[in-house]
Amino acid sequence: MEFDLIISALLGIFLFHGLCSSEKAPNYSFMREATTAPAISHYDYIIIGGGTAGCPLAATLSEKYSVLLLERGGSPYGNPNITNLSAFGSALSDLSPNSPSQRFISEDGVINARARVLGGGSCLNAGFYSRAAVEYVRAVGWEGGLVNASYAWVEEKVAFQPPMRGWQSAVRDGLVEVGVEPYNGFTYDHVNGTKIGGTTFDADGRRHTAADLLEYANPKGITLLLHATVHKILFKTKGVSRPLARGVIFRDALGKIHKAYLTRGEMNEVILTSGALGSPQMLMLSGVGPSKQLKAHNITVVLDQPNVGQRMMDNPMNAIFVPSPIPVEVSLIEVVGITSFGSYIEAASGENFAEHYALNDYGMFSPKIGQLSTVPPKRRTPEALKKAINAMSALDDAVFRGGFLLEKIMGPLSTGHLELRTRNPNDNPSVTFNYFQQPEDLRRCVNGLKIIENIIESKSFSKFRYDSLSLPALLNLTASAPVNLLPKHDNVSVSLEQFCKDTVMTIWHYHGGCHVGDVVDQDYKVIGVDKLRVIDGSTFNYSPGTNPQATVMMLGRYMGVRIMNERLAKEKSPN
Ligand SMILES: Cc1cc2nc3c(=O)[nH]c(=O)nc-3n(C[C@H](O)[C@H](O)[C@H](O)COP(=O)(O)OP(=O)(O)OC[C@H]3O[C@@H](n4cnc5c(N)ncnc54)[C@H](O)[C@@H]3O)c2cc1C
Ligand SMILES: *[C@@H]1O[C@H](CO)[C@@H](O)[C@H](O)[C@H]1NC(C)=O
Ligand SMILES: *[C@@H]1O[C@H](CO)[C@@H](O)[C@H](O)[C@H]1NC(C)=O
Ligand SMILES: *[C@@H]1O[C@H](CO)[C@@H](O)[C@H](O)[C@H]1NC(C)=O
Ligand SMILES: *[C@@H]1O[C@H](CO)[C@@H](O)[C@H](O)[C@H]1NC(C)=O
Ligand SMILES: *[C@@H]1O[C@H](CO)[C@@H](O)[C@H](O)[C@H]1NC(C)=O
Ligand SMILES: *[C@@H]1O[C@H](CO)[C@@H](O)[C@H](O)[C@H]1NC(C)=O
Ligand SMILES: *[C@@H]1O[C@H](CO)[C@@H](O)[C@H](O)[C@H]1NC(C)=O
Ligand SMILES: *[C@@H]1O[C@H](CO)[C@@H](O)[C@H](O)[C@H]1NC(C)=O
């Protein structure tokens, strides 16, 4: 009986609002395929990775200097899987070698993704835009005035106020009703209580990304190469007191090798912005890392640096799927509850997968996971999944509705590590996050889920749930979906601890591997070598704000301005 109810809950009429398709892709005069690049070239700054931090950094430095920005992926412009809010999930489930998303599965058994596109993670993410807390900025030692100016610089191009329709409003009201107070309205600021945050999706549901920050670039100062995969940072080691970065080797789409070198100039630099997987991986591939591991891969050791790839962190995400008796809007994250115990409550609703639903996909944020869950885990063979998927697409105007209430824990305190698997930069390294190893992380998860349960039971949320579906039934439903590769226990509906562990997912805020203080100094300079910095999410000791992208983009701008100012000061009074 209950089973039937769940099915019918998942088979409502899904109201889809088509989005306007007119779209003006900027045609950056400085953006080219790497195949067009000369075999050897020279620049003041060479930036490895046109991602969330790399784009604002390159745009800023190009104001005064010659900059080469190397991105292994293609352009995000004109790709509806990226630009279209409703397509969230399409890019993540596209496993082709040209996909903007490269899937990886951590040793923990959690399915994850890393960007492979100009704009980086900001092209794949759920768009939520929220600043770091003022206390966070103070604690890491950033200069508050420049931080605020840098956020504003980013927001001018890519941040918007979300539409807040019925379902998201019910979550907001539910949060306040259950005591996540005060209600702070719409703000980018990180403040305790419930708020509406920013989003990088505009009023038409069109995504804006870090690549849009290249509109700020000086076209004469920047060269942007797409499908340019860096294989190695080149160091000068002879006749210098310590290793000195002097250029990079990269390959174009045809596999042809190119070299780019720094022009003469004491302050010119190579800057690594390849993200939390890419940056530690590239350091190791270039000979900077734990020497034992490098030697095992026959990599010549430039600097024995045991901290590279250490303390990798991923904030666990756990969600409860709630089928809705009435239609819900398609929404990604718009509201957040910032609790007093280190858990952030967010939500997403509606059908977020486009018509393509890959056979081997594990749906996240999609009510289709409820549908797939009707195939019992043991019988979830590729054939059975294919049948279920075909059955779903046969349903006219495919008709799934409901949403996810999710919680992300602050921090986290549990840490892991990253190791090379091969010497090929296109291959994923092996990553371990050790979710919930620290008891405090588990406590934060359980307390977050309790708030979610209260919201589901709240008066404000009542019209978006079936009274007949009890909380334990909802927990069972979510746990029966293929959210990760872990075994599921029978007690998930009675133990939130077990539910946390068995249904752990990622919110894709993974960070670390090149920590400030361990691998880079306060100025993001790689410790022990010259002319090399790392500026991206790999440097975070703690995930900033409720969601990091605002701060990653801010950091790119912030460090660009600081590097320029230091240099101008030095050039004015050299000695
Ligand atoms: C699915 C998903 C949902 C998310 N949701 C949100 C959200 O709603 N809100 C939020 O704030 N954050 C969200 N995040 C997190 C946020 O997007 C990331 O933390 C952020 O984008 C990381 O930025 P980064 O600059 O460190 O790395 P990236 O943006 O990944 O940039 C690294 C770049 O380097 C390139 N690169 C790597 N190796 C090489 C190489 N060898 N040669 C050349 N180029 C290379 C990559 O292609 C990539 O473009 C989400 C992330 C994902 C994936
Ligand atoms: C966005 O995706 C939806 C669902 O796939 C599609 O119907 C719509 O046309 C897309 N909009 C654009 C602008 O591509
Ligand atoms: C983009 O700009 C380049 C250089 O300015 C030009 O050669 C090219 O034709 C333009 N492409 C489009 C699609 O407008
Ligand atoms: C969009 O994603 C689907 C898979 O999810 C893939 O088949 C399709 O080729 C992608 N489209 C583009 C333009 O990348
Ligand atoms: C930065 O902005 C926040 C609000 O967004 C404010 O609280 C803080 O005082 C500002 N910091 C400085 C140094 O101006
Ligand atoms: C390293 O080099 C040795 C000797 O040339 C070779 O036997 C070994 O297979 C190489 N290992 C790797 C991981 O390439
Ligand atoms: C916000 O909550 C945290 C955690 O409970 C607390 O440490 C902090 O002091 C609070 N901040 C404000 C401004 O109330
Ligand atoms: C949840 O699943 C367990 C194990 O399969 C089962 O014993 C329990 O009755 C289920 N609870 C509900 C409410 O469906
Ligand atoms: C849930 O059940 C499993 C296996 O039956 C057991 O190992 C685990 O301790 C239980 N979890 C809790 C939190 O009781």
Side-chain angles (χ1 to χ4, degrees):
M1 231 39 251
E2 194 151 73
F3 186 74
D4 289 336
L5 182 67
I6 291 168
I7 299 302
S8 60
L10 291 165
L11 303 184
I13 302 298
F14 172 63
L15 294 184
F16 183 76
H17 301 279
L19 296 164
C20 162
S21 69
S22 74
E23 187 183 307
K24 206 169 144 280
N27 181 13
Y28 294 133
S29 59
F30 49 83
M31 180 166 86
R32 295 203 302 267
E33 281 297 317
T35 46
T36 66
I40 294 180
S41 55
H42 294 82
Y43 296 88
D44 298 342
Y45 289 96
I46 298 171
I47 300 179
I48 308 171
T52 313
C55 289
L57 176 68
T60 302
L61 291 173
S62 75
E63 289 169 26
K64 295 244 162 38
Y65 304 100
S66 73
V67 174
L68 175 63
L69 177 59
L70 298 167
E71 168 52 46
R72 66 179 184 146
S75 166
Y77 297 109
N79 183 344
N81 286 354
I82 291 171
T83 51
N84 190 342
L85 185 148
S86 315
F88 181 85
S90 297
L92 294 177
S93 56
D94 179 0
L95 303 182
S96 74
N98 289 325
S99 170
S101 161
Q102 180 178 14
R103 175 172 293 178
F104 69 97
I105 301 178
S106 66
E107 301 306 298
D108 312 271
V110 173
I111 298 137
N112 211 320
R114 65 194 287 218
R116 180 170 47 200
V117 61
L118 180 70
S122 70
C123 298
L124 305 176
N125 70 25
F128 197 61
Y129 181 97
S130 193
R131 292 181 177 193
V134 170
E135 303 87 67
Y136 182 100
V137 170
R138 201 177 300 126
V140 297
W142 293 331
E143 189 199 309
L146 181 55
V147 164
N148 282 357
S150 300
Y151 276 127
W153 183 89
V154 169
E155 284 151 15
E156 172 80 25
K157 292 275 183 204
V158 305
F160 304 87
Q161 183 165 353
M164 288 297 292
R165 304 201 172 94
W167 194 86
Q168 286 281 343
S169 300
V171 173
R172 172 198 57 199
D173 297 345
L175 274 161
V176 178
E177 185 184 327
V178 307
V180 184
E181 293 176 291
Y183 175 58
N184 294 305
F186 167 67
T187 176
Y188 296 141
D189 289 347
H190 187 94
V191 278
N192 293 349
T194 295
K195 70 161 189 172
I196 300 169
T199 174
T200 51
F201 291 99
D202 65 21
D204 296 327
R206 200 173 303 131
R207 185 195 291 275
H208 294 257
T209 76
D212 295 8
L213 299 173
L214 290 166
E215 288 169 17
Y216 284 119
N218 166 13
K220 294 200 178 75
I222 186 170
T223 300
L224 161 56
L225 299 178
L226 299 175
H227 299 113
T229 304
V230 174
H231 279 241
K232 204 175 174 172
I233 300 166
L234 299 169
F235 290 95
K236 180 174 178 179
T237 52
K238 299 212 174 75
V240 287
S241 58
R242 49 191 216 155
L244 179 104
R246 60 187 188 103
V248 300
I249 296 181
F250 63 95
R251 283 182 190 263
D252 64 28
L254 300 173
K256 198 167 147 246
I257 288 183
H258 303 255
K259 289 181 182 169
Y261 294 102
L262 294 177
T263 50
R264 213 177 282 276
E266 196 196 329
M267 300 190 79
N268 295 344
E269 288 174 315
V270 174
I271 306 178
L272 198 43
T273 52
S274 299
L277 258 59
S279 287
Q281 181 183 24
M282 183 53 55
L283 282 180
M284 290 196 224
L285 293 175
S286 310
V288 177
S291 64
K292 214 175 127 199
Q293 206 191 126
L294 302 188
K295 283 178 191 152
H297 288 277
N298 290 343
I299 296 168
T300 308
V301 178
V302 171
L303 178 76
D304 179 16
Q305 173 41 291
N307 294 324
V308 174
Q310 293 306 302
R311 292 211 284 134
M312 295 298 298
M313 305 179 197
D314 191 23
N315 306 68
M317 173 178 89
N318 288 82
I320 300 180
F321 174 62
V322 191
S324 168
I326 59 170
V328 301
E329 74 267 19
V330 175
S331 73
L332 293 173
I333 299 161
E334 301 181 358
V335 169
V336 63
I338 301 177
T339 67
S340 57
F341 50 79
S343 183
Y344 302 132
I345 316 294
E346 301 178 347
S349 66
E351 177 52 85
N352 289 308
F353 279 63
E355 58 268 31
H356 307 284
Y357 193 86
L359 185 58
N360 45 359
D361 186 62
Y362 291 79
M364 282 166 251
F365 288 0
S366 169
K368 278 181 183 169
I369 76 160
Q371 182 65 12
L372 275 183
S373 75
T374 59
V375 182
K378 285 198 186 110
R379 278 186 271 138
R380 220 171 274 152
T381 60
E383 294 72 39
L385 283 179
K386 188 170 189 163
K387 220 173 126 196
I389 289 158
N390 285 340
M392 281 192 292
S393 37
L395 295 165
D396 224 17
D397 284 342
V399 277
F400 304 92
R401 61 191 181 203
F404 288 87
L405 288 123
L406 64 95
E407 60 82 36
K408 163 200 173 177
I409 68 160
M410 208 166 86
L413 302 176
S414 308
T415 67
H417 60 276
L418 173 152
E419 280 170 15
L420 290 181
R421 275 208 182 94
T422 72
R423 277 192 315 208
N424 183 348
N426 298 306
D427 291 342
N428 286 320
S430 112
V431 199
T432 309
F433 293 115
N434 294 318
Y435 299 105
F436 302 123
Q437 200 178 55
Q438 296 292 320
E440 180 61 21
D441 287 348
L442 191 56
R443 251 194 307 276
R444 287 172 174 174
C445 177
V446 167
N447 288 332
L449 286 170
K450 283 182 187 158
I451 296 277
I452 290 175
E453 291 190 331
N454 291 343
I455 296 169
I456 294 170
E457 307 262 76
S458 72
K459 196 163 156 285
S460 312
F461 195 73
S462 57
K463 66 177 179 200
F464 289 109
R465 65 163 298 196
Y466 286 93
D467 285 338
S468 49
L469 277 175
S470 65
L471 288 173
L474 290 173
L475 294 171
N476 270 358
L477 173 65
T478 303
S480 66
V483 294
N484 60 30
L485 304 181
L486 297 170
K488 307 292 182 289
H489 295 90
D490 277 351
N491 48 9
V492 290
S493 67
V494 292
S495 161
L496 287 178
E497 264 128 29
Q498 201 61 45
F499 183 85
C500 285
K501 290 180 185 165
D502 286 6
T503 68
V504 61
M505 290 180 266
T506 179
I507 191 165
W508 309 277
H509 298 173
Y510 55 86
H511 54 285
C514 299
H515 284 269
V516 171
D518 287 353
V519 174
V520 297
D521 67 15
Q522 286 284 330
D523 299 319
Y524 298 87
K525 292 179 173 163
V526 176
I527 296 164
V529 302
D530 285 325
K531 288 176 169 277
L532 181 62
R533 297 195 211 219
V534 181
I535 299 172
D536 60 25
S538 70
T539 64
F540 293 143
N541 289 300
Y542 212 80
S543 190
T546 59
N547 301 60
Q549 71 163 338
T551 305
V552 179
M553 288 190 264
M554 182 286 290
L555 184 62
R557 169 63 179 174
Y558 174 90
M559 283 308 297
V561 171
R562 272 197 38 197
I563 290 170
M564 265 194 323
N565 287 348
E566 277 164 29
R567 187 164 178 151
L568 291 173
K570 182 103 176 203
E571 282 165 0
K572 267 192 199 124
S573 57
N575 53 37

